[in-house]
Amino acid sequence: MLPPPPGEQQQFPRRGMLRLYSIGQLAVLADLLAGDSSDGSMDGRTIVNSILGAYGLPKLKASPGYRYFDDLDLPVTFEYPKAWVRRKNTLRPGVIIADFSTADKVCLEVFPEPRGGGAAILAEAAVLKLINPAAEIGGDARLELPPASRIKTEQREIDGKMYTYIVFPSETVTRSGYQVRRKNLAVVAARRGTAFVLGCSARSDQYDKEKEATFQQIVDSFRVL
């Protein structure tokens, strides 16, 4: 017997869920589902944790390791944590991958390569593209573009293609005046007149060495095919 969907929680309290399944049984179920969801966006433990979270129950330890992003519609590959949830961007080309328990996220954005100007112009356009989408779709916040002096870049040539790595801060100011500061690591490269930027973002007050290492792993794995 499976638990009802979250909308029916009142008829199926948490103690009923615990009677049906022990945490150990749910862990086994998660491992049986350890492949993927039908669309490849979640692994088994992430699926089970979404059910547990809906009932306010303790979650299983997240799946360790990374998985590869590989989409026939996008000529890029990169690694991201297995436990994070992947969603296609329905507003424009690209994808959003997030840890919804912490608001850490990875965004892939696609935009026309700026003409002329070199790496500095490409990096500025990439930062703008990562920061600007929230403004494009509206909402209860505005985002501030960091000054050029706070955008740090480094170029590396890998397999004959130039990649620009970017570190920058960002700040969201809600209409109520609350400020949310985030740290961002990104990488951008161009292919046939189209630029692809992969940006990792976390709240500054939650940023630590572990997250920095995770973000570094993600951007270092990024390749434009």
Side-chain angles (χ1 to χ4, degrees):
M1 177 179 178
L2 292 174
E8 300 178 19
Q9 289 181 41
Q10 297 303 318
Q11 290 75 34
F12 197 90
R14 284 184 292 177
R15 62 179 178 273
M17 177 77 168
L18 287 172
R19 285 196 199 103
L20 279 178
Y21 299 107
S22 69
I23 295 298
Q25 288 173 318
L26 286 168
V28 171
L29 174 61
D31 289 335
L32 288 173
L33 293 172
D36 284 331
S37 59
S38 60
D39 63 358
S41 63
M42 290 188 285
D43 74 334
R45 285 192 173 236
T46 304
I47 295 169
V48 171
N49 277 338
S50 68
I51 298 171
L52 292 173
Y55 287 94
L57 295 169
K59 296 182 181 180
L60 305 174
K61 186 176 180 179
S63 299
Y66 293 81
R67 69 172 68 235
Y68 269 100
F69 174 85
D70 189 6
D71 189 316
L72 293 177
D73 294 331
L74 294 165
V76 302
T77 63
F78 58 89
E79 297 177 358
Y80 65 93
K82 274 187 178 181
W84 291 20
V85 179
R86 188 179 85 220
R87 293 284 183 269
K88 276 207 176 236
N89 194 325
T90 58
L91 300 174
R92 57 193 175 274
V95 67
I96 299 170
I97 304 171
D99 179 349
F100 290 106
S101 64
T102 64
D104 298 348
K105 64 181 179 179
V106 174
C107 296
L108 175 67
E109 298 286 349
V110 183
F111 61 98
E113 180 183 7
R115 292 186 177 275
I121 297 298
L122 180 60
E124 183 179 340
V127 170
L128 183 61
K129 189 64 180 177
L130 289 171
I131 288 180
N132 194 50
E136 291 177 355
I137 62 175
D140 185 33
R142 74 176 189 274
L143 287 96
E144 305 289 346
L145 185 67
S149 61
R150 301 194 68 189
I151 301 175
K152 309 299 183 185
T153 63
E154 175 192 350
Q155 281 194 298
R156 299 181 214 160
E157 185 174 346
I158 302 172
D159 298 330
K161 186 174 293 293
M162 194 63 69
Y163 293 82
T164 301
Y165 296 84
I166 313 166
V167 179
F168 66 95
S170 61
E171 185 174 294
T172 304
V173 182
T174 68
R175 289 178 183 172
S176 58
Y178 183 69
Q179 290 182 324
V180 179
R181 294 183 174 90
R182 300 181 71 87
K183 290 196 173 185
N184 303 266
L185 271 69
V187 56
V188 61
R191 174 183 184 268
R192 298 176 184 173
T194 299
F196 300 86
V197 59
L198 186 72
C200 307
S201 171
R203 281 178 45 166
S204 296
D205 59 351
Q206 297 176 352
Y207 197 75
D208 55 22
K209 291 293 185 182
E210 184 178 354
K211 290 191 180 186
E212 182 179 7
T214 297
F215 286 2
Q216 199 66 57
Q217 172 82 10
I218 294 169
V219 298
D220 285 349
S221 70
F222 181 71
R223 296 290 183 273
V224 175
L225 306 176

